[in-house]
Amino acid sequence: MAKCAYFLSRKTLLEFCQPGRLTFLRTSNRTLNAMRKFTDDRQAVILGIETSCDDTGCGIVDTAGKILGEVINSQHLTHLKHGGIIPTIAGNMHRQQITAVCEDALRSANLKLRDIDAIATTTKPGLPLSLAIGNTFGKYLSRIGNKPYIPIHHMEAHALTARMVQEIDFPYLVLLVSGGHALLAIVENVDKFYTLGTTLDNAPGEIFDKIARRLKLANISEFSHMSGGQAIESAASKATDPTKFVFEPVMTGKRNCQFTFAGTLNRSLRYISKQEKELDIDGSTIIPDVYNLCAALQMSAVKHICLRTQRAMEFINNMNLISQEKRTLVMSGGVACNNFLAKALEIVCSEKGFKFVRTPPRLCNDNGVMIAWNGVERWTANLGVIRDRDEIEMVTVEKKAPLGESWIERVQNADIKCKLVKLKGLCD
């Protein structure tokens, strides 16, 4: 009962912490295995827990892809006040909210823990303090309910979420762009991935957040409750001269699919400092060219992402890794909510013979539904579903974890010369 007391701020968790309820734990393993067979005619129901960073999410999804319940507790406004995510604060807030989030998700689905077939939880990669809360609580639910446990790789979940709402055959190309990642990979199946490129330094969402803070966009009322990426995109749409600031193309001589955003970040910071110095701006005052700068840096980041993605497409085409009729690009992750980027990638896909699929924006940011769906994919394929209690208790979290096998050197050796297609009509 120690774990129960550690998390629960309410009287019960779906009646499973009442005296006598834990006697179910003494059921024999053979009986449990018989109960967990895949012979049930009804749809299996998976509960997913997401705490990799600063959002506490719980989603409940069945094997038909129906979202039965979902709750997210965002820490965005708290961390906005601190100018960035503080791991200790994030971890404490997850601990405070996780019971209520999971309980409310079950209530919204009109289900109890006994109705759930398995617990899926993000265990890598992410902030260790945040991941530990989700993993501990997920294992706790697994234990008191005698449920199988499914550890989830956060990036795999992002890569597969679109399959919940749209029919997408394996294999396909995925672009994951967020506050922590910029990554291109081939998704071979549920648990087989080939990474073609990843970021060498900053992630796109990270630089958008940092530049938005440096520009003091939160001091403009219409942007005050937006994330950095949302504020940058919205501000860019108001630009009167998006070509005023020059961002030179980066890594044009590197024939690979690697990303870098540090140069865009540093150049943006220099432009801001220069205008502040020239115009004697300090305090909460915002530079007059804020909208034009946002437009220029957004265009720079988008072109860089598109060029690397185009090279990944040409690598796939040249190597005939995906049949022509199945060539699909799936975009996911928090930055995939950026409509300007989506429009640019649609143009690239059209030119290169790929179907473009964007994960629904509401599922692009971290959420419990994507974890539950990855649990569904694994449950259906019977991959990574842990039923042994001792093995479940041994599951730990990992701060860093690569996505599948690295093909980065293979792409580099292919030496594919690539010139970005014309992004016609992008600024219309």
Side-chain angles (χ1 to χ4, degrees):
M1 295 295 289
K3 295 297 184 185
C4 180
Y6 179 71
F7 285 106
L8 297 187
S9 58
R10 302 189 188 188
K11 186 177 180 180
T12 66
L13 177 69
L14 311 164
E15 305 180 340
F16 275 98
C17 287
Q18 292 182 8
R21 293 288 180 180
L22 297 184
T23 58
F24 184 50
L25 292 176
R26 293 192 287 270
T27 307
S28 70
N29 284 336
R30 189 165 67 177
T31 302
L32 287 176
N33 288 336
M35 293 171 63
R36 304 304 180 209
K37 284 184 178 179
F38 295 88
T39 55
D40 200 338
D41 289 336
R42 71 178 179 83
Q43 297 289 345
V45 178
I46 310 298
L47 182 148
I49 297 173
E50 159 60 21
T51 63
S52 66
C53 190
D54 62 335
D55 288 328
T56 310
C58 180
I60 303 171
V61 177
D62 67 20
T63 44
K66 182 179 180 181
I67 300 174
L68 305 177
E70 178 187 10
V71 174
I72 299 176
N73 181 76
S74 175
Q75 303 176 12
H76 169 67
L77 294 180
T78 297
H79 295 293
L80 189 63
K81 297 175 184 176
H82 294 279
I85 297 172
I86 310 298
T88 52
I89 293 177
N92 286 333
M93 292 187 71
H94 282 308
R95 182 180 292 109
Q96 293 165 11
Q97 295 296 328
I98 194 166
T99 297
V101 166
C102 291
E103 192 171 66
D104 290 344
L106 281 158
R107 185 177 292 111
S108 71
N110 196 27
L111 297 172
K112 293 188 180 296
L113 186 56
R114 61 174 173 262
D115 302 314
I116 301 300
D117 291 280
I119 308 297
T121 308
T122 306
T123 59
K124 60 184 177 182
L127 299 177
L129 293 177
S130 295
L131 288 170
I133 298 300
N135 186 43
T136 301
F137 194 70
K139 291 193 292 187
Y140 161 65
L141 292 183
S142 168
R143 184 172 62 255
I144 65 172
N146 282 287
K147 308 296 180 183
Y149 195 58
I150 312 174
I152 300 297
H153 189 299
H154 183 79
M155 302 310 291
E156 291 181 6
H158 272 306
L160 293 168
T161 304
R163 280 170 46 86
M164 186 179 73
V165 295
Q166 189 166 338
E167 186 174 345
I168 304 170
D169 293 330
F170 295 122
Y172 58 88
L173 175 65
V174 67
L175 168 68
L176 303 179
V177 276
S178 67
H181 302 275
L183 187 148
L184 283 160
I186 295 172
V187 184
E188 183 70 24
N189 56 43
V190 174
D191 71 340
K192 199 166 188 178
F193 301 79
Y194 303 110
T195 295
L196 306 182
T198 187
T199 183
L200 297 171
D201 38 59
N202 308 86
E206 177 192 354
I207 71 160
F208 286 159
D209 285 343
K210 288 181 176 179
I211 295 170
R213 285 196 296 271
R214 184 65 181 82
L215 284 169
K216 296 168 278 193
L217 291 179
N219 293 342
I220 301 176
S221 59
E222 64 180 297
F223 307 143
S224 60
H225 297 293
M226 293 181 180
S227 68
Q230 290 173 321
I232 293 290
E233 181 181 10
S234 184
S237 69
K238 301 176 183 295
T240 56
D241 185 6
T243 62
K244 183 169 184 177
F245 296 93
V246 178
F247 287 82
E248 296 295 335
V250 296
M251 292 181 69
T252 54
K254 301 290 185 180
R255 295 181 181 178
N256 56 38
C257 291
Q258 300 285 71
F259 296 93
T260 176
F261 296 94
T264 301
L265 171 61
N266 292 333
R267 184 172 288 272
S268 296
L269 297 179
R270 287 198 297 270
Y271 278 138
I272 296 168
S273 295
K274 182 180 179 181
Q275 280 213 346
E276 287 179 337
K277 184 177 181 180
E278 290 176 349
L279 301 175
D280 195 24
I281 292 173
D282 58 12
S284 61
T285 306
I286 298 167
I287 63 171
D289 277 320
V290 59
Y291 297 149
N292 290 331
L293 180 57
C294 286
L297 77 90
Q298 178 177 247
M299 177 62 83
S300 174
V302 165
K303 283 185 174 181
H304 180 54
I305 292 170
C306 285
L307 182 60
R308 296 348 245 186
T309 304
Q310 181 180 323
R311 180 173 282 111
M313 292 176 178
E314 296 188 8
F315 173 76
I316 288 170
N317 291 350
N318 291 353
M319 301 293 182
N320 199 27
L321 297 173
I322 302 175
S323 60
Q324 190 169 354
E325 64 275 10
K326 287 187 177 182
R327 288 172 185 166
T328 300
L329 170 69
V330 171
M331 179 174 71
S332 192
V335 178
C337 294
N338 187 296
N339 293 318
F340 190 79
L341 173 60
K343 186 177 179 180
L345 286 169
E346 279 189 293
I347 296 170
V348 175
C349 283
S350 178
E351 289 289 328
K352 293 299 171 182
F354 274 67
K355 177 183 178 182
F356 177 71
V357 175
R358 175 164 64 159
T359 300
R362 79 176 194 86
L363 296 176
C364 281
N365 291 303
D366 296 348
N367 60 85
V369 168
M370 73 179 197
I371 305 304
W373 174 251
N374 196 194
V376 166
E377 294 263 29
R378 288 184 166 275
W379 176 273
T380 303
N382 197 21
L383 293 168
V385 180
I386 307 175
R387 292 176 171 79
D388 180 78
R389 176 51 48 196
D390 291 337
E391 189 177 347
I392 291 172
E393 293 304 326
M394 291 176 64
V395 174
T396 58
V397 303
E398 298 176 44
K399 179 180 179 179
K400 296 182 179 180
L403 181 62
E405 180 183 341
S406 175
W407 277 14
I408 293 173
E409 187 175 351
R410 185 174 175 180
V411 174
Q412 179 73 48
N413 292 339
D415 195 32
I416 299 172
K417 186 176 181 180
C418 186
K419 182 179 180 181
L420 181 62
V421 300
K422 292 183 178 180
L423 300 177
K424 299 176 182 177
L426 186 58
C427 294
D428 292 347

